């Protein structure tokens, strides 16, 4: 792959990771950076958002529970406490759209990316994840062992998922399902790159290098649905994201496993809503 291999030196302005990534991944990395954010990079889009923007060490995410829930209530409705689990599950999807492409880009570059929360900063804008900053030297030298390249992503996800799960007693498998669904999608987007299929496939292997079961193992399954109203095969997530537990959110996502359990009358309504 013809990919720029240089990363910014320490002390220089933050550099967007999109400039180092394959073209098929670059569009997902516009708000992922190497280096320390300056005011222009972390600034909100308008003055009205200025008071609601904050750049925090990722290790402090747990202290912003109220802000995260308020953001999701503004977007989805519901009650911040009654529906906290479902709301934070939805918030995780927005965060994973920052972190997951960064991890996949590191895999494709065959360069481990230090994603440790202690060296990662997150820009929250009105409670929503707006940008992610890794340290200037986070992108390590090339590594032939792909497991060493994907381990930092797994460790990063484990830390964030543990934090979010603790905020509202969410089953971690729901959050792993959210990021697994996204990673499966990203794998499809970069499948045409030489060697990419093998690189990304190691994310979904049964066991981690530590010998523990991989929480990302087979996040998506292709099944034969019992209803002719669903595609065959049907791309199904293994775990529902709980969005349907928020009042008014009756339209399930296109890969929701609950669709496999619905009668044709209910499925027809889902199609009508779309």
């Amino acid at each position: 792959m013809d990919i720029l291999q240089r990363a910014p030196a320490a002390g220089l302005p933050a550099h967007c990771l999109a400039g180092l990534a394959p073209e098929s991944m670059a569009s997902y990395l516009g708000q992922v950076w190497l280096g320390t954010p300056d005011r222009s990079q972390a600034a909100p889009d308008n003055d009205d958002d200025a008071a609601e923007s904050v750049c925090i060490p990722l290790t402090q995410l747990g202290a912003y529970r109220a802000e995260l829930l308020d953001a999701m209530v503004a977007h989805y409705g519901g009650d911040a406490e009654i529906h906290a689990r479902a709301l934070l599950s939805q918030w995780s999807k927005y965060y994973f759209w920052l972190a997951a492409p960064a991890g996949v880009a590191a895999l494709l570059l065959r360069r481990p990316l230090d994603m440790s929360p202690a060296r990662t900063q997150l820009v929250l804008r009105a409670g929503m994840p707006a940008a992610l900053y890794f340290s200037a030297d986070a992108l390590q030298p090339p590594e032939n062992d792909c497991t060493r390249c994907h381990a930092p992503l797994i460790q990063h996800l484990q830390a964030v998922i543990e934090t979010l799960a603790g905020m509202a007693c969410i089953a971690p498998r729901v959050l792993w399902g959210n990021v697994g669904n996204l990673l499966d999608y990203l794998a499809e987007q970069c499948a045409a790159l030489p060697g990419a299929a093998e690189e990304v496939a190691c994310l979904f292997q049964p066991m981690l290098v530590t010998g523990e079961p991989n929480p990302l193992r087979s996040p998506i399954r292709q099944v034969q649905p019992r209803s002719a109203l669903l595609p065959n095969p049907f791309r199904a997530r293994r775990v529902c994201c709980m969005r349907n537990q928020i009042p008014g959110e009756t339209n399930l996502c296109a890969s929701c496993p609950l669709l496999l359990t619905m009668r044709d009358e209910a499925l027809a309504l889902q199609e009508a809503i779309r």
Side-chain angles (χ1 to χ4, degrees):
M1 291 178 283
D2 183 15
I3 303 170
L4 180 63
Q5 294 292 310
R6 293 176 296 171
L12 295 178
H15 187 87
C16 188
L17 189 57
L20 305 174
E23 184 178 353
S24 60
M25 290 298 301
S27 62
Y28 304 110
L29 294 164
Q31 295 302 323
V32 181
W33 303 80
L34 298 174
T36 303
D38 59 29
R39 288 189 175 183
S40 64
Q41 290 169 320
D45 296 330
N46 56 68
D47 292 339
D48 293 338
D49 291 336
E52 299 181 89
S53 297
V54 61
C55 185
I56 65 170
L58 191 57
T59 51
Q60 294 182 9
L61 180 62
Y64 287 81
R65 180 182 187 274
E67 288 82 355
L68 271 54
L69 285 170
D70 286 347
M72 290 292 94
V73 168
H75 189 80
Y76 289 97
D79 182 275
E81 292 305 323
I82 296 174
H83 307 111
R85 293 188 304 155
L87 291 168
L88 287 175
S89 173
Q90 305 320 301
W91 188 93
S92 76
K93 297 178 185 179
Y94 293 91
Y95 178 79
F96 293 146
W97 267 111
L98 292 174
V104 172
L107 263 178
L108 298 178
L109 290 165
R110 279 188 172 262
R111 299 182 64 178
L113 177 67
D114 183 352
M115 302 178 71
S116 55
R119 304 189 70 209
T120 302
Q121 297 182 74
L122 171 65
V123 175
L124 288 174
R125 190 160 297 156
M128 296 296 291
L132 202 58
Y133 287 81
F134 301 110
S135 60
D137 60 351
L139 199 58
Q140 304 298 304
E143 171 63 63
N144 289 328
D145 185 353
C146 74
T147 60
R148 295 183 181 274
C149 297
H150 89 262
L153 173 61
I154 299 293
Q155 293 163 3
H156 179 95
L157 295 174
Q158 285 175 326
V160 172
I161 286 173
E162 180 178 345
T163 297
L164 291 174
M167 288 184 186
C169 296
I170 311 170
R173 65 192 186 98
V174 173
L175 304 176
W176 283 109
N178 288 347
V179 71
N181 180 54
L182 171 56
L183 287 167
D184 181 82
Y185 169 80
L186 293 174
E188 292 181 359
Q189 302 310 299
C190 61
L193 292 172
E198 294 79 7
E199 300 288 351
V200 180
C202 68
L203 283 172
F204 308 114
Q205 60 191 355
M207 306 295 290
L208 299 175
V209 292
T210 59
E212 300 173 299
N214 183 3
L216 285 174
R217 179 176 181 264
S218 304
I220 299 296
R221 55 197 176 110
Q222 300 289 337
V223 299
Q224 181 176 355
R226 63 185 182 184
S227 172
L229 296 179
L230 292 173
N232 187 13
F234 178 73
R235 179 186 183 275
R237 295 172 48 132
R238 289 195 174 273
V239 184
C240 174
C241 73
M242 304 173 62
R243 191 178 74 190
N244 65 318
Q245 297 186 18
I246 304 171
E249 290 294 322
T250 56
N251 188 20
L252 303 178
C253 75
S255 298
C256 183
L258 297 181
L259 292 172
L260 295 170
T261 68
M262 296 172 67
R263 299 175 67 89
D264 282 359
E265 295 83 358
L267 286 173
L269 179 60
Q270 288 286 317
E271 190 62 29
I273 293 175
R274 293 195 185 96

